[in-house]
Amino acid sequence: MNNIIFTHKVGDSLKEVLNHIAASEIFILADKNSAKNCLPLLPLEKVKKENIIIIEGGENNKTISTAEKIWNVLSTQGAKRNSVLINVGGGLVTDVGGFAASCFKRGTKCINIPTTLLAQVDASVGGKTGVNFNGLKNEIGTFSIPDMVIIDTCFLKSLPYRQVLSGFAEMIKHGLLLGGEHFYCIMEINPQKIDWDNFLDVIRESVSVKDKIVQQDPTEKGVRKSLNLGHTIGHALESLALERGEEFYHGEAVAYGIIAELALSVKKVGFSLAIFEEVKNYIKKYYPPCIVVENKEELYELMLHDKKNEKDGVNFTLLKEPGKFIIDNYCRREEIIEALEYCF
Amino acid sequence: MNNIIFTHKVGDSLKEVLNHIAASEIFILADKNSAKNCLPLLPLEKVKKENIIIIEGGENNKTISTAEKIWNVLSTQGAKRNSVLINVGGGLVTDVGGFAASCFKRGTKCINIPTTLLAQVDASVGGKTGVNFNGLKNEIGTFSIPDMVIIDTCFLKSLPYRQVLSGFAEMIKHGLLLGGEHFYCIMEINPQKIDWDNFLDVIRESVSVKDKIVQQDPTEKGVRKSLNLGHTIGHALESLALERGEEFYHGEAVAYGIIAELALSVKKVGFSLAIFEEVKNYIKKYYPPCIVVENKEELYELMLHDKKNEKDGVNFTLLKEPGKFIIDNYCRREEIIEALEYCF
């Protein structure tokens, strides 16, 4: 993880990184919330006011037109290829900012300072960038590893509980993918009572699961597909909620995606029923209920649009046991609809 | 050059490539001209009508909104990551199509069938994709090598003379970068009388100059900057013509850029005055005159926006002799303005 810093002194770390990369100009991207709560924690005295780009928060703003807004500032303010864009915020900011940076002059430098648990353990690392298009999540984007990611739990102390849960779902996923001690460590955490000052090592271990997989397969031709555990069904639930205007966070959708995809794993590749029950009960205990899905066909249609699908049928990563995943399992409509029952 | 095919049977070659990559769906991008003149030469009977995307030609249409039009068709018609977009046309089509493909679901497959000399020897190979933004050329784009490029001179037989010249400027550049026999071969060609049936080998040699350089440095951190010979000043001339609405082709601008940058090479790194004169006379003999530039400061300002500039001053690739280039020469305003005199 040589491009990820875990720190309790984000300001000092940022200074060091900026000294090291010697960018010609510094630009900042933040959403309104992180501009208010997080930018004051960073040493940005030398950054020109015109170089600070504030965007509206919310999935609705993860669009090409937000990327154009960023490009417009970069272009107008004379950004060059070795200028740097520092993305400060949650997954929206690191995804759209990372996309904008990766396409500006075919790639300008980029630093992520993720300020939500979700962005720290998932969105800001691994180089997937993107915006939504035609109602489909991350339909347009690039693979582009940021020059540096700086992770400090200080930003998480004021995080609303549902946002903690949203990030924690990815940690459950990483626990399932790695297995062993780390999986049991995750299952023993009470997400309502996290001591953030002593949580940096757990985050580091969780991120390292993703990082190792991404190193092996940056552009998702093979093993990286394992990181989609919970996401094929999760993305469909999330798209449905977005369509309806219901608030259902990414990680909440992924948590229920994990339940359904573990149910498929039990049925298709012999995952332990006992561990399935344990994970399902954990999620149902701490997470808000899943959105209501009356017409499961509609969910299935959304899954067919998933980027990972290469032929007819829906492609899943399934688990044989914690730590042993199998990519490229094609499941049938009926199997998927049956598995969805366990979410409700 | 394992992803470039030189052929006199483009239809057969395309069939073979499509068999090999086994894409789930085939999409075609063409401009109006190439749709009319070139698509009939290709075996596209099996491609759905809805999957054929026709865009307006002309640099004015090399925009994000054209990319959005392409994404819209891909998305609506259910394109997947292993679908393929076949770009049939000149540099506009391969640049914007390559960009759209590289960002759709973070990268779908892409084949280029360049139908102009410029696209064959330059734009369609090497993986630079992009669209214009804020009046600046290729301000937004990616580095993304196409899965295959198929080059057939059959498309060039009906090419207007100014478009021949436009592509030929890149061949002069490749000749200068490689030096030796190839350079003298290029200087002996009369672009008014090219025998296209016997020109494929010259194109192959020219493309191989670029290909070798790109292989060494795909993202232009070092040696690839050599390919900008003639382009720093050329792009500024082209931007100026675009602003004014004057017709001045990319390669015409590059040809005059080559003259000015060889003048800088004579002055700064000892390039032979005799060869400079030879190249200058060649270009002035065959090319239309350079656009009128009354205010050379304006041109200089445009150069400062160039992607290759990393600090103050303008970064040039200069030549010590044919075959010996030196990247990262920073030249001063006065030196550049003096060199521009040789264009007129």
Side-chain angles (χ1 to χ4, degrees), chain A residues 161-188:
Chain A
Y161 179 56
R162 284 185 68 184
Q163 288 215 34
V164 172
L165 286 178
S166 188
F168 201 76
E170 302 291 349
M171 298 180 78
I172 297 172
K173 180 191 80 177
H174 292 159
L176 283 162
L177 291 174
L178 183 64
E181 276 300 303
H182 182 61
F183 172 60
Y184 289 105
C185 159
I186 293 292
M187 287 287 100
E188 273 161 26

Side-chain angles (χ1 to χ4, degrees), chain A residues 131-326:
Chain A
V131 297
N132 304 333
F133 188 81
N134 257 6
L136 295 166
K137 274 185 65 74
N138 301 322
E139 185 85 334
I140 305 302
T142 55
F143 288 104
S144 176
I145 303 278
D147 293 271
M148 192 57 78
V149 183
I150 306 175
I151 291 174
D152 187 334
T153 53
C154 73
F155 299 112
L156 308 181
K157 290 178 182 174
S158 57
L159 204 64
Y161 179 56
R162 284 185 68 184
Q163 288 215 34
V164 172
L165 286 178
S166 188
F168 201 76
E170 302 291 349
M171 298 180 78
I172 297 172
K173 180 191 80 177
H174 292 159
L176 283 162
L177 291 174
L178 183 64
E181 276 300 303
H182 182 61
F183 172 60
Y184 289 105
C185 159
I186 293 292
M187 287 287 100
E188 273 161 26
I189 290 169
N190 178 344
Q192 290 165 323
K193 295 181 182 170
I194 292 175
D195 171 10
W196 296 111
D197 288 327
N198 290 301
F199 203 65
L200 198 58
D201 285 339
V202 188
I203 290 179
R204 187 199 314 262
E205 180 136 27
S206 187
V207 171
S208 80
V209 175
K210 175 165 183 176
D211 188 65
K212 260 178 223 156
I213 292 168
V214 170
Q215 297 281 344
Q216 288 173 58
D217 174 25
T219 58
E220 203 170 17
K221 306 267 189 262
V223 67
R224 183 168 185 165
K225 292 181 188 172
S226 64
L227 292 170
N228 293 312
L229 179 67
H231 282 66
T232 308
I233 289 174
H235 275 158
L237 287 167
E238 200 182 355
S239 294
L240 198 60
L242 189 67
E243 262 178 51
R244 293 189 197 158
E246 284 179 41
E247 192 168 59
F248 196 49
Y249 289 13
H250 173 71
E252 294 172 347
V254 167
Y256 285 96
I258 289 174
I259 292 179
E261 296 182 23
L262 287 186
L264 283 169
S265 300
V266 171
K267 180 120 186 188
K268 306 255 304 180
V269 296
F271 187 76
S272 147
L273 193 58
I275 302 178
F276 164 67
E277 286 291 329
E278 190 186 343
V279 175
K280 177 169 69 92
N281 293 339
Y282 182 97
I283 289 169
K284 292 202 169 174
K285 177 173 172 189
Y286 291 116
Y287 282 71
C290 188
I291 55 165
V292 176
V293 182
E294 287 185 355
N295 178 3
K296 299 203 175 59
E297 293 289 339
E298 198 181 348
L299 261 191
Y300 179 75
E301 285 300 314
L302 285 166
M303 284 174 220
L304 289 177
H305 259 292
D306 197 283
K307 281 182 278 299
K308 274 70 71 174
N309 289 321
E310 296 182 356
K311 49 181 183 180
D312 294 331
V314 179
N315 183 344
F316 287 93
T317 294
L318 299 181
L319 278 190
K320 222 176 144 52
E321 57 186 79
K324 285 199 180 159
F325 53 81
I326 310 172

Side-chain angles (χ1 to χ4, degrees), chain B residues 53-298:
Chain B
I53 310 162
I54 313 288
I55 58 176
E56 295 286 333
E59 193 73 15
N60 288 339
N61 294 297
K62 199 173 163 184
T63 58
I64 288 287
S65 86
T66 300
E68 286 184 279
K69 183 178 166 179
I70 300 166
W71 290 329
N72 201 31
V73 175
L74 293 175
S75 178
T76 312
Q77 297 301 319
K80 300 189 171 72
R81 244 190 220 167
N82 83 334
S83 298
V84 65
L85 179 67
I86 307 175
N87 302 310
V88 182
L92 161 71
V93 171
T94 60
D95 276 12
V96 69
F99 175 64
S102 73
C103 293
F104 184 75
K105 294 186 191 281
R106 302 197 184 95
T108 188
K109 288 181 197 293
C110 177
I111 296 173
N112 284 340
I113 303 184
T115 61
T116 65
L117 183 60
L118 178 62
Q120 292 192 350
V121 297
D122 189 27
S124 76
V125 295
K128 278 193 181 182
T129 76
V131 296
N132 304 333
F133 187 81
N134 255 6
L136 296 166
K137 274 186 62 76
N138 301 321
E139 184 84 334
I140 305 302
T142 55
F143 288 104
S144 177
I145 303 277
D147 293 271
M148 192 57 78
V149 183
I150 306 175
I151 291 174
D152 187 333
T153 53
C154 72
F155 299 113
L156 307 180
K157 291 177 183 175
S158 57
L159 204 63
Y161 179 55
R162 284 186 69 184
Q163 288 215 36
V164 173
L165 287 178
S166 188
F168 200 77
E170 302 291 348
M171 298 181 77
I172 298 173
K173 180 190 80 178
H174 292 160
L176 283 162
L177 291 174
L178 183 63
E181 277 301 305
H182 182 61
F183 172 59
Y184 289 104
C185 158
I186 293 292
M187 287 288 98
E188 275 160 25
I189 291 169
N190 178 344
Q192 291 164 322
K193 295 182 183 168
I194 293 175
D195 170 10
W196 295 112
D197 288 327
N198 290 301
F199 203 64
L200 198 59
D201 284 339
V202 188
I203 291 180
R204 188 201 311 264
E205 180 137 26
S206 187
V207 171
S208 79
V209 176
K210 175 165 184 177
D211 188 65
K212 261 179 220 153
I213 292 168
V214 170
Q215 298 280 344
Q216 289 172 57
D217 174 25
T219 59
E220 204 172 18
K221 306 268 189 261
V223 68
R224 184 168 185 164
K225 292 181 189 173
S226 63
L227 293 170
N228 293 312
L229 180 67
H231 281 66
T232 307
I233 290 174
H235 274 159
L237 287 167
E238 198 181 357
S239 293
L240 198 60
L242 190 67
E243 261 178 51
R244 294 190 197 156
E246 286 180 41
E247 192 169 59
F248 197 49
Y249 289 13
H250 173 73
E252 294 172 348
V254 167
Y256 285 96
I258 288 174
I259 292 179
E261 296 182 21
L262 286 186
L264 283 170
S265 300
V266 171
K267 179 119 187 188
K268 307 255 306 181
V269 297
F271 186 77
S272 148
L273 194 57
I275 302 178
F276 164 67
E277 286 291 331
E278 188 185 346
V279 176
K280 178 169 68 96
N281 293 339
Y282 182 96
I283 289 169
K284 292 200 170 176
K285 177 174 173 190
Y286 291 114
Y287 282 70
C290 188
I291 55 165
V292 176
V293 182
E294 289 186 352
N295 179 2
K296 299 202 175 59
E297 292 290 339
E298 199 181 346

Side-chain angles (χ1 to χ4, degrees), chain A residues 32-148:
Chain A
K32 282 195 170 161
N33 240 324
S34 60
K36 191 176 145 209
N37 299 315
C38 307
L39 292 191
L41 303 177
L42 300 174
L44 303 175
E45 304 78 23
K46 286 184 195 158
V47 179
K48 282 192 240 160
K49 231 179 161 179
E50 301 80 15
N51 289 8
I52 299 177
I53 311 162
I54 312 289
I55 57 177
E56 295 285 334
E59 194 72 14
N60 287 339
N61 294 297
K62 197 172 166 185
T63 57
I64 288 287
S65 87
T66 300
E68 287 184 279
K69 183 178 167 178
I70 300 166
W71 290 329
N72 201 31
V73 175
L74 293 175
S75 179
T76 312
Q77 297 301 317
K80 299 187 170 73
R81 244 190 221 168
N82 83 334
S83 297
V84 65
L85 178 66
I86 307 175
N87 302 310
V88 183
L92 161 71
V93 171
T94 60
D95 276 11
V96 69
F99 174 65
S102 73
C103 293
F104 184 76
K105 294 184 191 282
R106 301 196 186 96
T108 188
K109 288 182 196 292
C110 175
I111 296 173
N112 284 340
I113 303 184
T115 61
T116 64
L117 182 61
L118 179 62
Q120 292 192 349
V121 298
D122 189 27
S124 74
V125 296
K128 279 193 183 181
T129 76
V131 297
N132 304 333
F133 188 81
N134 257 6
L136 295 166
K137 274 185 65 74
N138 301 322
E139 185 85 334
I140 305 302
T142 55
F143 288 104
S144 176
I145 303 278
D147 293 271
M148 192 57 78

